[in-house]
Amino acid sequence: MANNKGNSLIFYMFELNTSCRAVYILIEELNIEATIQKIDMRKGEHLTDDFKQISPLGQLPVMIDNGLKLSESSAILCYLVEQYGNEEQQNKLMGINDIKIRAKIQMALYFNVSRFYKPVADWLRPQIFRGSRPTEGECLKLKEALRQLNSLIKSYSKYVAGSDEPTVADIALFSSVSFLQVLNYNLLQYNSLWNWLKRLKKSSLELPIGKSLISLQEWQEELNAKSNENDC
Amino acid sequence: MANNKGNSLIFYMFELNTSCRAVYILIEELNIEATIQKIDMRKGEHLTDDFKQISPLGQLPVMIDNGLKLSESSAILCYLVEQYGNEEQQNKLMGINDIKIRAKIQMALYFNVSRFYKPVADWLRPQIFRGSRPTEGECLKLKEALRQLNSLIKSYSKYVAGSDEPTVADIALFSSVSFLQVLNYNLLQYNSLWNWLKRLKKSSLELPIGKSLISLQEWQEELNAKSNENDC
């Protein structure tokens, strides 16, 4: 049974947006009954008057839950765990019983927003919206962001906030990395990152993460991206 | 008496960095006994081997507290409230008793990191590091960021997360805005933002905020910035 039977979470997402996909993975993991409203940014659906009533800047993702309207995917991730997770899930995904782990989860989420997410999005955008290749500058910024994520993971033993189980920070960062993997980006050179990705796929998040990868692969086939190795 | 007598918080900051200043305001508000290590980025002190032992990317701010090393200013803000705030402060500054307020505080903190902080920093950087004016593009991006912050404040009644008292999100955003004000940027045109700034100066955060403004004014005088109105 869904965790919020009777409640009314509405989640607005663009399927090819990394931040939206992170929230979607969590919704599946927490088994939240949600109305998913797909907004296709390629068709400009985020710019319609109807959608601007919900998100004045045309920003995605956005959720509305019992009168609370929230944007910023990391804030949504934290809210959903607090609102719908049981104590075990809250502890595992957000470290509610350990102030140091909790602080490191926040640090990794802010690292994603301030340093990692944008280089990935800038690299993806031309491929998603125009079917064209990213520029050399975009490639270099992505490489630097990957080097930084690799260092962050290397400094801990298992997951990005130093915990034994994956947290919301792993979900947020995985969501970005999964696009690179599906587009055959050469991630093997980032050894700690690569091993983290392998661990994550066999972790307690195996199911929602596997499902997320499958739906991305379908998009990749649609896109008919070239299938040989891609490290730019 | 300081809140953490006997503990050993070390806080590394560059005085002219908005994120560092936000944490410093909170340290004063919570009356935390901290060792403040000033790192002058204009002199390249963040690039020395010694500092790279602490912050491999030369990133500021960084704090070390009883073995916990933390970067990302918003993560530091939340950690310090949780670790050193009493229940009243935790409730006021982070909404621990109200899940909706707490979610909106996180949303506003992420808005600062993803949309507001960088346009302000890009506008400030040439003035701080080279004594030169920002470009037209930097001016336009700052105006757009200010319009967005103005809308965010307008959508609520008093503070940026919709609460009756200022929170860590107000501290983070104030810290950026205070540089604009001290450099005589014309903020009057952003009506809601202007009124928020006036409210904040008479709020429960009056003292640390006032002190922060005075120390910035001293810098502004040193810089000998032109004192007439500045809206670019």
Side-chain angles (χ1 to χ4, degrees):
Chain A
M1 197 174 104
N3 267 337
N4 60 330
K5 208 77 186 170
N7 279 344
S8 60
L9 179 69
I10 308 175
F11 181 57
Y12 298 84
M13 69 178 283
F14 172 46
E15 281 191 280
L16 300 179
N17 175 287
T18 61
S19 306
C20 293
R21 291 185 78 87
V23 176
Y24 190 66
I25 290 172
L26 183 70
I27 286 175
E28 298 238 323
E29 168 66 8
L30 294 178
N31 193 24
I32 301 170
E33 191 176 83
T35 304
I36 307 292
Q37 294 277 5
K38 292 185 180 173
I39 305 290
D40 194 337
M41 294 178 82
R42 290 172 303 187
K43 294 178 183 161
E45 289 174 2
H46 59 305
L47 302 172
T48 61
D49 287 345
D50 275 359
F51 187 66
K52 285 201 167 169
Q53 295 291 314
I54 292 151
S55 179
L57 304 173
Q59 198 183 342
L60 283 162
V62 180
M63 57 139 258
I64 302 175
D65 189 33
N66 291 310
L68 174 67
K69 188 201 283 182
L70 213 56
S71 56
E72 299 294 341
S73 65
S74 306
I76 298 174
L77 290 172
C78 296
Y79 168 76
L80 292 178
V81 174
E82 292 192 16
Q83 179 73 352
Y84 295 114
N86 58 34
E87 198 184 329
E88 189 193 332
Q89 289 165 327
Q90 291 187 355
N91 193 39
K92 196 184 76 174
L93 293 166
M94 277 185 64
I96 55 158
N97 291 337
D98 185 327
I99 189 170
K100 288 190 176 178
I101 291 287
R102 194 157 69 246
K104 288 178 194 167
I105 291 170
Q106 290 297 331
M107 179 170 75
L109 282 175
Y110 281 104
F111 164 81
N112 182 43
V113 171
S114 67
R115 295 173 185 262
F116 191 73
Y117 160 80
K118 197 174 176 302
V120 176
D122 288 346
W123 182 87
L124 278 174
R125 202 172 292 115
Q127 304 181 69
I128 290 175
F129 288 94
R130 301 189 296 273
S132 61
R133 306 283 300 153
T135 66
E136 199 180 332
E138 284 159 351
C139 291
L140 286 174
K141 283 183 182 166
L142 177 61
K143 279 178 202 281
E144 176 54 24
L146 285 165
R147 260 196 298 271
Q148 290 188 17
L149 177 57
N150 194 60
S151 296
L152 179 70
I153 296 168
K154 199 174 176 180
S155 69
Y156 295 122
S157 55
K158 290 187 93 173
Y159 293 103
V160 293
S163 59
D164 286 334
E165 294 273 1
T167 69
V168 286
D170 294 281
I171 293 178
L173 287 158
F174 164 78
S175 187
S176 299
V177 173
S178 64
F179 274 86
L180 304 178
Q181 202 180 10
V182 164
L183 288 174
N184 296 309
Y185 192 97
N186 176 12
L187 291 169
L188 256 167
Q189 61 192 306
Y190 304 98
N191 196 21
S192 303
L193 196 163
W194 182 255
N195 288 327
W196 163 76
L197 210 50
K198 282 200 294 186
R199 267 195 301 281
L200 207 47
K201 285 178 192 163
K202 290 180 186 166
S203 74
S204 55
L205 291 176
E206 180 178 358
L207 283 179
I209 272 180
K211 200 169 159 187
S212 159
L213 276 175
I214 288 169
S215 66
L216 254 196
Q217 272 150 4
E218 284 166 7
W219 162 69
Q220 190 266 355
E221 282 159 22
E222 248 180 62
L223 189 77
N224 198 17
K226 66 183 178 65
S227 61
N228 44 339
E229 190 176 271
N230 183 354
D231 71 351
C232 171
Chain B
M1 196 173 104
N3 267 336
N4 60 329
K5 207 78 185 169
N7 279 344
S8 60
L9 179 70
I10 307 175
F11 180 57
Y12 297 85
M13 69 178 283
F14 172 45
E15 281 191 280
L16 300 179
N17 174 287
T18 61
S19 305
C20 293
R21 291 184 78 85
V23 176
Y24 190 65
I25 290 172
L26 183 70
I27 286 176
E28 298 238 324
E29 169 64 8
L30 294 177
N31 193 24
I32 301 170
E33 191 175 84
T35 304
I36 307 293
Q37 294 278 4
K38 291 186 181 173
I39 305 290
D40 194 335
M41 294 178 82
R42 290 172 302 186
K43 294 179 183 160
E45 289 174 4
H46 59 306
L47 302 172
T48 61
D49 288 345
D50 276 359
F51 188 64
K52 284 200 167 169
Q53 296 289 317
I54 292 151
S55 178
L57 304 173
Q59 198 183 341
L60 283 163
V62 180
M63 57 139 257
I64 302 175
D65 189 32
N66 290 309
L68 173 68
K69 189 201 283 183
L70 213 57
S71 56
E72 298 294 341
S73 65
S74 306
I76 299 174
L77 289 173
C78 295
Y79 168 76
L80 291 178
V81 175
E82 292 192 15
Q83 179 73 349
Y84 294 114
N86 58 35
E87 197 185 329
E88 189 193 331
Q89 288 166 326
Q90 291 187 354
N91 194 38
K92 195 185 75 172
L93 292 166
M94 278 185 65
I96 54 157
N97 292 336
D98 185 327
I99 190 170
K100 289 189 177 181
I101 292 286
R102 194 157 68 247
K104 288 178 193 167
I105 290 170
Q106 290 296 332
M107 178 170 75
L109 282 175
Y110 281 104
F111 164 82
N112 182 43
V113 171
S114 67
R115 295 173 185 262
F116 192 73
Y117 160 79
K118 196 173 175 302
V120 175
D122 289 345
W123 181 87
L124 278 173
R125 202 172 293 114
Q127 303 181 68
I128 290 175
F129 288 93
R130 302 189 295 274
S132 62
R133 306 285 299 153
T135 66
E136 199 180 334
E138 285 159 350
C139 291
L140 285 174
K141 282 182 182 166
L142 177 61
K143 279 178 203 281
E144 177 53 24
L146 286 166
R147 260 197 297 272
Q148 289 187 18
L149 177 57
N150 195 59
S151 296
L152 179 70
I153 297 168
K154 200 175 175 179
S155 70
Y156 296 122
S157 55
K158 290 187 91 173
Y159 293 104
V160 293
S163 59
D164 286 335
E165 293 273 2
T167 70
V168 285
D170 294 281
I171 292 178
L173 286 158
F174 165 77
S175 187
S176 300
V177 172
S178 65
F179 275 86
L180 304 178
Q181 202 181 11
V182 164
L183 289 174
N184 296 309
Y185 193 96
N186 176 11
L187 291 169
L188 255 166
Q189 59 191 306
Y190 304 97
N191 196 262
S192 302
L193 195 163
W194 182 254
N195 287 327
W196 162 77
L197 209 48
K198 282 200 296 186
R199 267 196 301 281
L200 207 47
K201 285 178 193 164
K202 291 180 186 165
S203 74
S204 55
L205 292 176
E206 182 179 357
L207 284 178
I209 273 180
K211 200 170 160 187
S212 159
L213 276 175
I214 288 169
S215 67
L216 255 194
Q217 272 149 3
E218 284 167 6
W219 162 70
Q220 191 266 356
E221 281 158 24
E222 248 180 63
L223 189 76
N224 199 15
K226 68 184 175 66
S227 61
N228 43 340
E229 191 177 273
N230 183 352
D231 70 352
C232 171

